[in-house]
Amino acid sequence: MSATPQKNRASRRVLTAAAGLATVGALVAAMPAGAQEHPGKGNGKGHGNHGQGPTVDVQLLSFNDLHGNLEPPAGSAGEVQEKQANGSVLPVKAGGVEYLASSLRTARQGHPYSITAAGGDMVGASPLLSGLFHDEPTIEALNKIDLDVTSVGNHEFDEGATELGRLQNGGCHPVEGCYEKGKKFQGADFPYLAANVTNEKSGKPILKPYTVWKKNGVKIGFIGVTLEGTPNIVTANGVKGLKFHDEIETINKYAKELDRQGVKSIVALIHEGGAPASSSYNYDCDSNGPGDGISGPITDIAKGITPKVDALVTGHTHQAYVCTVPDPAGNPRLVTSASSFGKLYTETTLTYDRRTKDIVRTSVKSAGVKNPKSANHVVSRDQAKANDMTALIARWNALAAPISNRPQGYITADINGRGSTAYEKPLGDLIADAQLEGLAPADKGGAVVAFMNPGGIRADLVHKASGAEGDGVVTYGESFTVQPFTNMMNVVDLTGAQLVAALQQQVSGSNEASPKILQISRGLTYTLDMTKSGADRVVADTIRLNGEAIDPAKTYRVAMNEFLAGGGDGFAALGQGTNKLVGASDLDLFNAYLAANSTAAAPLAPPAADRITVIQ
């Protein structure tokens, strides 16, 4: 998901790769194009169409955008929307690896041919329990869950390619060392696929471009890519020395290579997604005809990927959908996504033809069932927890507790951020106010306004206690979960004209199809007219700062995180700032604001979120 990328805390070092990897330059380890096959795990006892007949049903379980959420996400960020039989929609609590592990293990029963795959962003922008330890706890959990393969996502690059290589290959952190005495981090026992990410100097992929799952003669290839636009949503340090290539061209290239090797069944894992017409996970995406129920980048990508690819597992947008989008030959092809944070998983049945070695795809519906058939399932919190995940969480929580449990401030009610669907989020206002208050003093930068990108808000502030701290207490762990990147703040000079241009870039250019509405500090107000198109959606003559119209020729001191100050998320105007002063981190300013503006006797109330007037 587009977000404030994590500051690259790790010092760079040359990766040492596993067998079959060759060192490329002094940056990353590259994978030879011919990736190794790996055997299927084979779960449960077989029944049904699983034997040595002409076809075999292969179960594909998939999820995406876990973001290190080992514990159940709090508040509305831990809910999925479920459409009821009467047409109403109800929120359902979901997620947490204790339940995800149970769901996947239960689903595998009776399916000897079962593969578990993911669509990227397994780590990065993680809650403190994982983020404090550079996501080693999440990789350990995914190993235990028996993940077979994942693509990289943009957040896998938050700490740079060298750190990504360490997550794959193991070894203790180069700066912080080993976290548990006598234990060395083993790395992922599943392949991270990065087909469209190459070393700038060598031109070779930094990790495996693909892998082949095989069992009893059944072979299924997986190609993994992240969105080509990753450099636009990750700090420069995170993608230094790397080149990101077109998703369609890359997948088609490696699908052809797999086909030449006799691998005819292929699944693409793509960290790019779309937006379904409904927020309900069980919405019938094809109710109005194939492809009508989804929009966004993945639709064009799906239409361009070779028919050699049989299904697309996607992510990035944190949406839930199981849709049909025609391939270039006009045949139906599944495109799926399982929300985020481990709240859903997708179950797809791939019927493998032993004679053709390909997946049977047909548009014929029999009793409402498509082939391949697929559905999203809730990772319910009503089921039994997986004991090994409970133990893992307890072990890492014991290490994190001295930092995580420190009180930072007090609130009267939930302050929604990630869980808010509004353009202006109450938590966004709070964060922007914290940045302005911390950087307004002359010796701190002299800021008069602050901007926060919405994708950088990773959770809600929840009133209900997460542990023993008591209701209404905001702990360090909770504030870290909201802002896990520890980005340094910048204060820069921008002209009034550049300020207006930045506001217009929220809804135009690369952001026109999917607006990114900046969260703004108190004193800035304007009208957003979504009945118009492009830059005209920002009604220029309504923009006011402390009641005064913006003067195009005047210079304003503007606070923002280093990601926005670098022009990230399509905000080129914000990247034109001059006279830069580097301040404290965003998290430090947020915690300082909570401490200065709230007490147990006088907690903070949610902001009114009335700075942007929206016309729909």
Side-chain angles (χ1 to χ4, degrees), residues 81-98:
Q81 303 301 310
E82 184 175 75
K83 186 177 180 180
Q84 307 298 302
N86 63 4
S88 63
V89 175
L90 294 178
V92 178
K93 296 289 185 185
V97 294
E98 294 162 298

Side-chain angles (χ1 to χ4, degrees), residues 37-89:
E37 296 179 349
H38 67 282
K41 295 183 173 76
N43 299 282
K45 296 180 179 179
H47 63 78
N49 194 24
H50 301 310
Q52 296 297 317
T55 62
V56 177
D57 284 346
V58 178
Q59 179 192 55
L60 174 62
L61 303 175
S62 57
F63 58 98
N64 51 277
D65 295 275
L66 180 64
H67 290 288
N69 279 264
L70 302 180
E71 296 176 295
S76 55
E79 295 174 347
V80 292
Q81 303 301 310
E82 184 175 75
K83 186 177 180 180
Q84 307 298 302
N86 63 4
S88 63
V89 175

Side-chain angles (χ1 to χ4, degrees), residues 548-560:
E548 296 183 2
I550 298 292
D551 182 347
K554 183 178 176 180
T555 297
Y556 297 84
R557 293 291 283 167
V558 183
M560 66 194 94

